[in-house]
Amino acid sequence: MIEAVILRGRSRVRSVRQRALGLALVMLAALAAAPDSHAQTPVNGFGAMQPSVGHFTVHSMVNYRQFDGDETTQERDIRQVSIATQVSYALLSNLAVTLDVPVLFNHLSRSAVATGDSATGIGDMSLLVKWRPWQNDTGPTDTMRLVLVGGIQMPGGTETYWDSTGEEWNPLFGAIFSMVRGRHGVNADVIYELNTGGHSRPDGFRYDASYLYRLSPAEYGAESSGAAIYAVAELNGLYETNGNHQLFLAPGVMYEATWWTVDATVMIPLAQDLKDRPETEIAFGVGLRLSF
Amino acid sequence: MFNVSLSSLRTAQDVIRLVIRPLAWAREFSFMPSFIRSSPLSIPLSISRALCVGALALTTACESTPRASDASVDPARAAVAASENPPAAASAPATDGRTALIWVNGMGCPLCANNVDSQLKKVPGVEDVKINLGTGIVNVRLSSSGPSTQAQLEQAIDRTGFTLVRIQMPTDSKSAGGGA
């Protein structure tokens, strides 16, 4: 009898956690499903670049997050490690597709109901089509590009512990702008996610802005075109139609060689107003990108 | 590069030359960014160069320690400006009879250069590709037996998504432009 009550309690906790943290994972998946290419693209945000025709880019990023400050009655503290992998493939010189598959490892370190619970699963996946209707390459390294994005966010599967959208397939659409001027790179994007799960789930409006500064080389030359190091500063925001809002400052660094890139970033919360899930205390990630 | 005979070590000129050559070589060899590779080497290299200049003021010994980017090594590279964004239609460097020059805009990073490199190397008749991101000039070494056509090179650049400004084929002094 007691065991049955405990099991039912755990089941309810898990169910509530799935619903409440589902929205957080929408944001996580969106934040993870970021760049797929090159040229001073940000670490967390999107860039209006893509591989060349017939080529792949694979970007895997390991993220660690601490969730705290849960204002709900569950008072949850959660530690999460995620491995987000994005694979991009260029169909045309101005058209590419990107598949994002995040794998999540969650640990409930403390809550009002239970502690020490852990779960692993595939988070919500997304498939994006990036079409570049406009570009203006004004110099050897200078470019301005506008990309329109459309796609779908897919449920990670029935066995997923942290399933954010249930069985719904939510459309995504937005725009990305990138500009490179010498050592300076600027990117901005707005992505809207339309939740089809009914009124209980809000729509999500993601916005990012980033600035990248090429630390080295100061000037590209015949012998210095093989690698570069960038300092990265990003603003990553998410607003939801239920009033939730999160904004992060994400400084980072990126080393780029001819066919691989390593990047690292820390996400520092600037503003968080969440009513139904724990806040992100801090997050950081390290990524590797391969082009082939 | 290190072919220095013992007899040549008799003079201070050759001793200094022996020091400065591997330092210069190491600085140019590394694939790391310039500030990383130059930092540990910049001081001894500067000292060596200063010694070289001082000790060999009456000679031209220092001129015999070329860097990889010097004109004596690659006239085509030396002919282009080293500035970050020179005019795209800069005067064409002299080339031999097998090197095509392609001016490309929008290659903002090493991965971009790799895109261009990989697409061009798929073209039959392309033996080697060297890219200078600073000038946007792509040196394409063509096979002597079955060289690529201009149309093939244009198509390869088009597939990269960057903007083709101009192509100078080795057998054609006239340049042909076109947007990718």
Side-chain angles (χ1 to χ4, degrees):
Chain A
M1 178 67 179
I2 293 175
E3 187 178 354
V5 169
I6 292 174
L7 286 175
R8 279 203 301 273
R10 283 189 175 180
S11 177
R12 278 200 301 272
V13 168
R14 178 165 298 200
S15 175
V16 171
R17 258 187 297 168
Q18 283 181 340
R19 285 200 303 271
L21 290 174
L23 294 176
L25 293 174
V26 171
M27 185 198 72
L28 285 174
L31 288 176
D36 57 349
S37 50
H38 349 109
Q40 306 206 17
T41 55
V43 178
N44 297 320
F46 287 89
M49 310 297 175
Q50 67 168 60
S52 64
V53 176
H55 284 249
F56 288 92
T57 300
V58 178
H59 185 217
S60 282
M61 189 157 194
V62 179
N63 291 289
Y64 173 80
R65 280 176 178 259
Q66 285 186 198
F67 297 94
D68 202 348
D70 188 1
E71 295 182 359
T72 70
T73 56
Q74 298 179 66
E75 301 175 0
R76 294 155 297 185
D77 289 354
I78 297 165
R79 307 290 179 263
Q80 180 186 75
V81 176
S82 64
I83 302 174
T85 301
Q86 301 105 41
V87 181
S88 295
Y89 180 76
L91 301 169
L92 301 171
S93 61
N94 64 347
L95 185 71
V97 292
T98 299
L99 175 66
D100 169 54
V101 181
V103 178
L104 308 174
F105 306 92
N106 295 285
H107 178 72
L108 182 67
S109 59
R110 187 181 69 86
S111 81
V113 184
T115 59
D117 202 1
S118 297
T120 300
I122 297 176
D124 288 343
M125 301 174 289
S126 64
L127 181 65
L128 295 176
V129 177
K130 296 171 69 175
W131 173 57
R132 187 181 66 239
W134 178 80
Q135 80 178 86
N136 184 18
D137 296 340
T138 55
T141 61
D142 295 350
T143 184
M144 288 190 291
R145 297 176 179 221
L146 176 67
V147 162
L148 300 180
V149 178
I152 195 90
Q153 181 140 341
M154 301 167 284
T158 54
E159 299 300 322
T160 302
Y161 185 73
W162 302 105
D163 194 351
S164 59
T165 58
E167 297 303 315
E168 287 81 32
W169 293 52
N170 295 330
L172 301 160
F173 50 90
I176 309 167
F177 174 77
S178 292
M179 181 176 72
V180 177
R181 284 284 181 273
R183 303 175 74 176
H184 309 277
V186 175
N187 302 276
D189 67 74
V190 288
I191 307 288
Y192 195 86
E193 177 181 352
L194 184 65
N195 276 294
T196 58
H199 296 294
S200 62
R201 300 178 190 277
D203 294 349
F205 176 72
R206 173 188 169 170
Y207 59 97
D208 303 292
S210 61
Y211 170 72
L212 288 87
Y213 178 72
R214 194 179 70 229
L215 297 170
S216 176
E219 291 183 353
Y220 283 122
E223 303 299 327
S224 61
S225 296
I229 290 184
Y230 305 92
V232 184
E234 295 188 47
L235 285 173
N236 308 120
L238 176 70
Y239 175 80
E240 296 167 347
T241 51
N242 64 354
N244 283 346
H245 182 226
Q246 284 185 299
L247 179 62
F248 296 92
L249 171 66
V253 64
M254 181 165 66
Y255 177 85
E256 181 178 347
T258 53
W259 63 277
W260 58 273
T261 297
V262 174
D263 46 51
T265 186
V266 177
M267 296 183 72
I268 304 164
L270 294 180
Q272 292 192 89
D273 182 14
L274 302 176
K275 302 170 181 62
D276 56 358
R277 62 180 186 262
E279 297 178 345
T280 299
E281 201 170 45
I282 194 166
F284 54 88
V286 178
L288 172 67
R289 181 183 303 148
L290 303 175
S291 178
F292 53 91
Chain B
M1 179 174 286
F2 299 104
N3 186 19
V4 180
S5 65
L6 290 176
S7 60
S8 67
L9 295 177
R10 294 171 186 167
T11 64
Q13 297 176 356
D14 292 318
V15 172
I16 295 172
R17 194 178 298 156
L18 186 67
V19 173
I20 199 171
R21 277 187 175 177
L23 289 173
W25 172 80
R27 200 171 73 160
E28 297 298 336
F29 175 77
S30 173
F31 60 87
M32 298 296 286
S34 60
F35 85 94
I36 290 179
R37 57 191 158 109
S38 63
S39 296
L41 298 173
S42 59
I43 294 176
L45 190 57
S46 300
I47 293 172
S48 300
R49 287 190 184 280
L51 287 173
C52 186
V53 171
L56 311 178
L58 301 177
T59 70
T60 57
C62 284
E63 297 172 0
S64 63
T65 57
R67 295 176 56 175
S69 57
D70 286 351
S72 59
V73 176
D74 190 342
R77 289 176 183 161
V80 299
S83 60
E84 182 73 17
N85 290 309
S91 59
T95 64
D96 57 26
R98 289 173 54 192
T99 301
L101 298 178
I102 307 175
W103 282 257
V104 179
N105 276 356
M107 295 186 296
C109 65
L111 275 172
C112 305
N114 187 51
N115 277 345
V116 174
D117 181 273
S118 60
Q119 290 292 348
L120 284 170
K121 284 182 175 174
K122 291 179 182 177
V123 177
V126 171
E127 288 186 345
D128 192 24
V129 177
K130 293 189 186 311
I131 298 172
N132 185 332
L133 288 175
T135 60
I137 295 179
V138 182
N139 286 261
V140 184
R141 183 79 169 167
L142 303 177
S143 167
S144 57
S145 56
S148 316
T149 65
Q150 181 168 326
Q152 288 175 311
L153 298 180
E154 288 178 356
Q155 188 179 23
I157 297 298
D158 181 63
R159 291 167 64 86
T160 66
F162 301 113
T163 299
L164 170 63
V165 177
R166 180 185 176 197
I167 290 185
Q168 177 181 301
M169 297 300 287
T171 56
D172 181 11
S173 60
K174 295 179 181 179
S175 60

